[in-house]
Amino acid sequence: RGAEMGEARPPLHKVVILATRPNTLTLSLCPVVVGAVLEAKQARSVEIAPALCFWLFACLIQIGTNLHNDYADFVKGADTKDRLGQARATQKGWLTARQTAGGSAAALVAATALGCGLARRAGCGRFMTFVT
């Protein structure tokens, strides 16, 4: 479906970056900042490494969600050539539906692994509540 759009496919690394919708990743920072500020207020300090890990955790969830949305919209036929907004990699034919779904699953599995590690880390329980 996407191949007939006539648009040249960018290099794979650019396609992957575009598919993750990097402009939405700043939204994943907001709950991390709120959690870090509240933790700093309670504990009088914040460890930077766990805060960065929480941001990566939140980014992976956002990426997985963005890719799944791209996949689901393509499969349902919601993304057409008349669609307004940012390019969708699957609709454009730059990625197959299987590649997009696989990327989504990989990001969410990585988020789960990182989240489990963070949940086991002493002192991260309160912080995790604000991120999720």
Side-chain angles (χ1 to χ4, degrees):
R1 247 179 6 198
E4 74 241 11
M5 299 299 157
E7 218 172 305
R9 180 180 184 232
L12 183 59
H13 71 281
K14 287 187 180 183
V15 168
V16 171
I17 290 169
L18 287 170
T20 64
R21 300 186 211 162
N23 57 325
T24 66
L25 298 182
T26 54
L27 297 172
S28 64
L29 181 60
C30 295
V32 175
V33 170
V34 170
V37 167
L38 292 171
E39 183 68 19
K41 188 174 179 181
Q42 261 187 346
R44 305 268 187 244
S45 70
V46 172
E47 293 182 49
I48 297 300
L52 291 174
C53 285
F54 274 108
W55 187 32
L56 178 58
F57 168 71
C59 283
L60 287 168
I61 292 171
Q62 185 71 44
I63 288 168
T65 303
N66 288 345
L67 290 171
H68 181 268
N69 178 263
D70 189 333
Y71 165 80
D73 284 352
F74 178 78
V75 169
K76 290 180 192 174
D79 282 344
T80 66
K81 66 180 179 183
D82 299 324
R83 183 189 178 288
L84 299 176
Q86 187 176 358
R88 298 290 189 256
T90 314
Q91 179 262 330
K92 294 280 188 188
W94 299 340
L95 294 175
T96 66
R98 186 177 182 147
Q99 289 172 317
T100 306
S104 173
L108 294 171
V109 165
T112 300
L114 183 56
C116 287
L118 286 167
R120 289 186 173 155
R121 192 178 191 312
C124 284
R126 292 186 314 266
F127 192 45
M128 186 116 181
T129 303
F130 294 105
V131 174
T132 57

